[in-house]
């Protein structure tokens, strides 16, 4: 993997993906598709492309111009919360529509591999709005027919969020303890660095086809 596009680079998982790619000597170029520029210093090989995700033609051009040749991998880790979005419709636009449209444009631009951050329990038939949305995204990204599609399904994400969530920190501490019990281990919280590392490791696997990695498998991969 010599070049990569990162969607969601200012988010919890996306920040870690960028940090790891910047440290990887095998990666020569990192292109960030973002709604706002990151507020930290970036490596010289990292380019920022501020993007209006409601205008597919705009980011399609940015993808096509990302490199004289197509980038090797699209890392897709864009997402928001229902509280931040304000409605299910708004969250769906960010978590499904924006990611799907970028993936479609990346496929058209010749990107061979997509590495997607999904969620534990993702299924188009799920009762939960969130896991159903993630399942629909998985299904439709797979249908795009990338040479290699990599999907990770993390449980609770453990990392430093921009907003303060004291209650969530207590819950995370409890889940770390419960995650050691038989039958509950699949729900064990996973660090965002572990998720990012697993996504990169999967992207470097040149085996064609689709690979879906569940939460408990991420620890060994990263």
């Amino acid at each position: 993997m010599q070049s990569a596009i990162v969607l969601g680079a200012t988010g919890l998982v996306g920040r870690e993906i960028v940090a790891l790619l910047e440290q990887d000597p095998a990666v020569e170029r990192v292109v960030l598709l973002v709604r706002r520029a990151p507020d930290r210093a970036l490596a010289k090989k990292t380019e920022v492309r501020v993007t209006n995700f409601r205008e597919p033609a705009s980011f399609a051009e940015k993808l096509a111009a990302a490199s004289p040749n197509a980038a090797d991998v699209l890392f897709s880790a864009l997402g928001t919360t229902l509280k931040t979005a304000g409605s299910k419709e708004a969250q769906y636009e960010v978590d499904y529509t924006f990611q799907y449209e970028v993936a479609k444009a990346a496929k058209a631009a010749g990107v061979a591999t997509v590495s997607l951050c999904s969620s534990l329990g993702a299924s188009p038939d799920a009762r939960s709005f969130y896991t159903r949305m993630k399942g629909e995204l998985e299904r439709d990204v797979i249908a795009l027919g990338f040479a290699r599609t990599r999907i990770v399904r993390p449980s609770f994400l453990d990392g430093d969020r921009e907003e303060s969530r004291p209650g969530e920190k207590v819950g995370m501490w409890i889940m770390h303890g419960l995650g050691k019990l038989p039958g509950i281990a699949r729900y064990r919280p996973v660090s965002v660095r572990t998720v990012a590392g697993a996504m990169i490791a999967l992207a470097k696997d040149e085996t064609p086809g689709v690979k879906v990695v569940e939460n408990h498998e991420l620890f060994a991969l990263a």
Side-chain angles (χ1 to χ4, degrees):
M1 176 175 56
Q2 292 182 315
S3 60
I5 299 165
V6 183
L7 176 62
T10 59
L12 200 60
V13 174
R15 290 197 304 266
E16 294 297 331
I17 293 173
V18 174
L20 291 174
L21 290 175
E22 288 182 334
Q23 296 167 15
D24 191 334
V27 179
E28 298 177 358
R29 194 178 194 193
V30 183
V31 178
L32 312 185
L33 292 186
V34 292
R35 290 176 288 182
R36 66 181 189 277
D39 57 2
R40 69 174 185 84
L42 300 169
K44 290 183 178 180
K45 64 181 177 182
T46 302
E47 301 176 16
V48 176
R49 300 186 185 275
V50 177
T51 305
N52 182 351
F53 293 109
R54 291 191 174 95
E55 296 182 1
S58 173
F59 61 72
E61 291 177 2
K62 289 180 170 64
L63 283 165
S67 174
N69 300 307
D72 300 311
V73 182
L74 166 65
F75 290 97
S76 191
L78 184 64
T80 187
T81 63
L82 183 57
K83 180 180 179 181
T84 300
S87 69
K88 288 183 177 180
E89 292 76 16
Q91 186 180 20
Y92 194 90
E93 181 183 41
V94 174
D95 280 55
Y96 174 89
T97 305
F98 291 168
Q99 290 197 97
Y100 176 73
E101 291 296 337
V102 171
K104 184 167 68 173
K107 178 64 169 58
V111 176
T113 302
V114 59
S115 187
L116 173 68
C117 185
S118 184
S119 171
L120 179 70
S123 168
D125 301 318
R127 291 185 179 181
S128 161
F129 164 74
Y130 184 77
T131 51
R132 184 171 65 252
M133 173 178 62
K134 292 297 185 182
E136 291 174 358
L137 179 62
E138 287 186 11
R139 176 197 64 199
D140 295 345
V141 168
I142 289 171
L144 289 173
F146 282 87
R148 289 168 292 277
T149 300
R150 308 295 186 240
I151 297 171
V152 299
R153 293 176 174 170
S155 180
F156 302 98
L157 294 173
D158 190 357
D160 294 326
R161 301 180 184 274
E162 292 182 352
E163 67 273 29
S164 177
R165 299 181 181 180
E168 185 176 271
K169 290 181 179 179
V170 174
M172 193 69 67
W173 179 80
I174 293 172
M175 286 305 300
H176 271 296
L178 293 176
K180 299 176 183 178
L181 299 176
I184 305 181
R186 68 189 297 259
Y187 300 104
R188 175 185 172 191
V190 57
S191 76
V192 290
R193 177 58 66 103
T194 296
V195 176
M199 290 179 69
I200 292 172
L202 285 166
K204 290 182 176 181
D205 178 358
E206 297 185 356
T207 307
V210 179
K211 287 190 176 182
V212 180
V213 178
E214 300 290 351
N215 187 65
H216 67 279
E217 300 173 295
L218 293 173
F219 300 93
L221 251 181

